[in-house]
Amino acid sequence: QVQLVESGGGLVQPGGPLRLSCAASGSIFSIYAMGWYRQAPGKQRELVAAITSGSRINYSDSVKGRFTISRDNAKNTVSLQMNSLKPEDTAVYYCKLQTGTAGYWGQGTQVTVSS
């Protein structure tokens, strides 16, 4: 069993920052990558950012230059620093952990960007 617990969501004004964190626990043997996805109402879940165990990073074009993903391999945590937030960043953000054989999801945390 693998559990992912996200924290840090909330309401923020346009242009403001927010930081999401995700902690993984349980029977974790080999992590290939950890990342963040988001799903806005009426839209499909999409990749925001991901980082592999070898520190290779991939960002969605819509967040490049504004969001920064980081990972602590020793603690099995991944964070997402979000700056210059826009209303279109409003969504439920999900943490994902990918091993060689399975993917695990967190429960999601709401991020709302609004004045």
Side-chain angles (χ1 to χ4, degrees):
Q1 278 298 68
V2 174
Q3 296 82 37
L4 299 173
V5 178
E6 300 123 333
S7 60
L11 173 65
V12 62
Q13 291 189 340
L18 204 60
R19 185 177 179 87
L20 305 181
S21 295
C22 173
S25 61
S27 302
I28 304 170
F29 298 106
S30 178
I31 299 175
Y32 171 69
M34 295 186 74
W36 292 93
Y37 289 70
R38 67 186 181 187
Q39 188 167 18
K43 295 188 176 181
Q44 289 189 333
R45 192 172 298 188
E46 63 176 0
L47 172 71
V48 176
I51 181 168
T52 70
S53 57
S55 297
R56 188 176 67 193
I57 294 175
N58 183 33
Y59 290 106
S60 163
D61 286 344
S62 63
V63 307
K64 281 181 181 176
R66 300 188 297 122
F67 291 10
T68 302
I69 190 170
S70 59
R71 178 176 164 182
D72 187 329
N73 290 335
K75 297 181 178 179
N76 290 331
T77 60
V78 63
S79 298
L80 185 69
Q81 178 64 43
M82 304 185 292
N83 296 327
S84 303
L85 281 160
K86 304 175 181 180
E88 51 263 44
D89 294 317
T90 295
V92 178
Y93 283 69
Y94 296 90
C95 175
K96 184 179 182 181
L97 183 155
Q98 184 70 44
T99 69
T101 57
Y104 301 89
W105 294 92
Q107 80 284 356
T109 185
Q110 177 70 44
V111 172
T112 302
V113 185
S114 175
S115 55

